[in-house]
């Protein structure tokens, strides 16, 4: 009977998660459509008007020739070549840019504005990602452990002053979150805004989209052909990404634990089912150890 109730709780929880997940996707899709569809239509109409104006001003060109030239521009952009400027534009494959690209591969960000165009480069990218992604996950996990150790030391230091454990934990986590937000989500957007000429909102948007590994590619540092960047600029941005990912992963892990705690308080059956599952796993592991001996 108890096992039947446990299976029922597990099934109910799975159904709830499925419904919540797809509801979230549907609501998001509807909101994005409302916010972006009209702007897209206006941009498309503006582009068509500009093409017609261009053809009327340069009568030596016909529509077919213009469409062919537009396709050339699109092909160049897809291959990582910025159509604006001239042939003296900085290379996308100098060491600093290549280091930045390697970081976007192993972190699975993949902005999409740059990719290997040679067969050998594409093959190498596949095997590089196969080995690099697990290595990066292990590195981030270890880095997260180091951050957790520092957080524990901070809690111990505060506990010697304030003997209330729960309060100390809450304050320590709050300080960790605020300090990390300043170091990884406030100061970098300010620097990016200054260097790239973005607004702070655009810099913050780029930072979050990058660290969440969404990586749309609409904003990427060090790609403006009209600016002169220091040689290590993109490499430093890549190092920022790696350390910020470790911090964000730890924050998200804390968020997941808080959600589990809230669910456990609001749904006691789910908490009880989890405890029973843990007990079963412990029992199974003990039986396996006994059978091995």
């Amino acid at each position: 009977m108890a096992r039947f109730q446990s299976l029922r709780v597990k099934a109910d929880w799975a159904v709830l998660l499925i419904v919540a997940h797809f509801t979230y996707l549907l609501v998001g899709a509807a909101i994005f459509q409302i916010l972006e569809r009209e702007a897209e239509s206006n941009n498309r109409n503006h582009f068509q008007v500009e093409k017609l104006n261009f053809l009327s001003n340069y009568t030596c060109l016909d529509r077919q020739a213009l469409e062919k030239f537009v396709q050339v521009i699109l092909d160049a952009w897809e291959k990582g070549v910025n159509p604006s400027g001239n042939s003296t534009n900085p290379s996308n494959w100098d060491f600093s840019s290549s280091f930045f690209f390697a970081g976007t591969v192993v972190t699975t960000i993949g902005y999409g504005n740059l990719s290997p165009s040679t067969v050998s480069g594409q093959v190498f990218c596949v095997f590089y990602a196969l080995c690099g992604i697990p290595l990066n996950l292990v590195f981030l996990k270890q880095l997260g452990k180091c951050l957790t150790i520092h957080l524990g030391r901070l809690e111990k230091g505060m506990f010697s002053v304030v003997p209330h454990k729960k309060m100390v934990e809450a304050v320590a986590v709050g300080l960790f979150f605020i300090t990390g937000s300043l170091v990884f989500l406030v100061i970098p957007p300010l620097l990016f805004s200054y260097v790239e000429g973005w607004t702070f909102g655009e810099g913050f948007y780029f930072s979050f989209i990058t660290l969440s590994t969404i990586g749309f590619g609409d904003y990427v540092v060090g790609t403006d052909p009209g600016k002169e960047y220091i040689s290590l600029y993109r490499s430093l941005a890549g190092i920022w990404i790696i350390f910020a990912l470790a911090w964000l992963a730890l924050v998200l892990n804390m968020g997941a634990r808080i959600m589990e705690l809230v669910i456990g308080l609001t749904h006691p059956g789910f908490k009880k089912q989890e405890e029973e599952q843990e007990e079963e796993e412990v029992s199974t592991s003990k039986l396996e150890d006994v059978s091995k001996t």
Side-chain angles (χ1 to χ4, degrees):
M1 185 66 179
R3 187 170 182 82
F4 176 75
Q5 289 179 346
S6 175
L7 291 172
R8 183 177 178 181
V9 169
K10 191 182 294 185
D12 291 343
W13 175 241
V15 171
L16 179 63
L17 272 180
I18 292 170
V19 172
H21 183 70
F22 281 97
T23 302
Y24 194 77
L25 291 177
L26 291 171
V27 171
I31 293 174
F32 281 125
Q33 184 181 32
I34 293 169
L35 294 175
E36 298 295 332
R37 191 169 185 176
E38 184 178 355
E40 180 202 29
S41 178
N42 292 336
N43 290 331
R44 183 183 290 112
N45 293 335
H46 176 72
F47 178 67
Q48 295 298 330
V49 169
E50 289 296 321
K51 280 205 302 183
L52 292 174
N53 290 337
F54 186 83
L55 287 172
S56 62
N57 292 330
Y58 298 92
T59 54
C60 57
L61 285 174
D62 58 9
R63 179 178 289 273
Q64 186 176 1
L66 179 61
E67 292 294 341
K68 186 176 181 180
F69 183 64
V70 170
Q71 188 60 48
V72 170
I73 293 175
L74 289 174
D75 290 341
W77 181 261
E78 289 176 358
K79 292 177 181 177
V81 178
N82 195 322
S84 62
N86 50 42
S87 59
T88 61
N89 288 348
S91 172
N92 287 317
W93 294 107
D94 57 12
F95 183 78
S96 179
S97 299
S98 298
F99 180 86
F100 183 77
F101 174 77
T104 63
V105 171
V106 299
T107 55
T108 69
I109 295 173
Y111 288 112
N113 68 312
L114 184 65
S115 58
S117 59
T118 62
V119 175
S120 55
Q122 292 169 352
V123 172
F124 174 75
C125 186
V126 170
F127 289 99
Y128 184 76
L130 283 174
C131 299
I133 292 173
L135 176 63
N136 182 67
L137 291 174
V138 172
F139 174 77
L140 291 179
K141 186 177 180 180
Q142 188 62 36
L143 198 57
K145 287 181 179 178
C146 292
L147 292 174
T148 305
I149 291 172
H150 286 295
L151 180 61
R153 289 176 180 173
L154 177 62
E155 289 180 355
K156 286 180 181 178
M158 294 177 63
F159 189 70
S160 61
V161 180
V162 182
H164 299 287
K165 186 177 179 181
K166 295 294 183 182
M167 184 183 295
V168 168
E169 289 179 353
V171 172
V173 170
L175 286 174
F176 177 79
F177 177 76
I178 292 170
T179 304
S181 298
L182 287 173
V183 173
F184 297 120
L185 283 177
V186 176
I187 296 176
L190 287 173
L191 296 175
F192 294 142
S193 301
Y194 175 75
V195 175
E196 302 290 343
W198 299 338
T199 64
F200 177 77
E202 290 170 334
F204 184 83
Y205 167 79
F206 161 77
S207 298
F208 181 79
I209 292 300
T210 295
L211 298 183
S212 59
T213 69
I214 297 171
F216 289 125
D218 47 353
Y219 290 90
V220 184
V221 295
T223 56
D224 189 345
K227 295 183 180 295
E228 292 185 5
Y229 302 98
I230 61 173
S231 57
L232 292 177
Y233 175 60
R234 299 192 83 184
S235 296
L236 292 174
I239 294 171
W240 160 73
I241 288 173
I242 292 172
F243 282 92
L245 278 174
W247 169 80
L248 187 62
L250 194 58
V251 170
L252 294 177
N253 188 35
M254 290 179 182
R257 289 181 180 179
I258 291 171
M259 288 185 67
E260 288 178 355
L261 180 62
V262 171
I263 292 169
L265 292 174
T266 56
H267 297 79
F270 173 72
K271 184 67 177 178
K272 186 178 179 182
Q273 180 263 329
E274 271 194 336
E275 291 174 353
E276 290 176 354
Q277 187 174 359
E278 289 176 359
E279 289 176 359
E280 288 180 3
E281 289 176 355
V282 171
S283 306
T284 304
S285 62
K286 286 182 178 179
L287 288 173
E288 289 177 354
D289 292 338
V290 170
S291 62
K292 286 179 181 178
T293 55

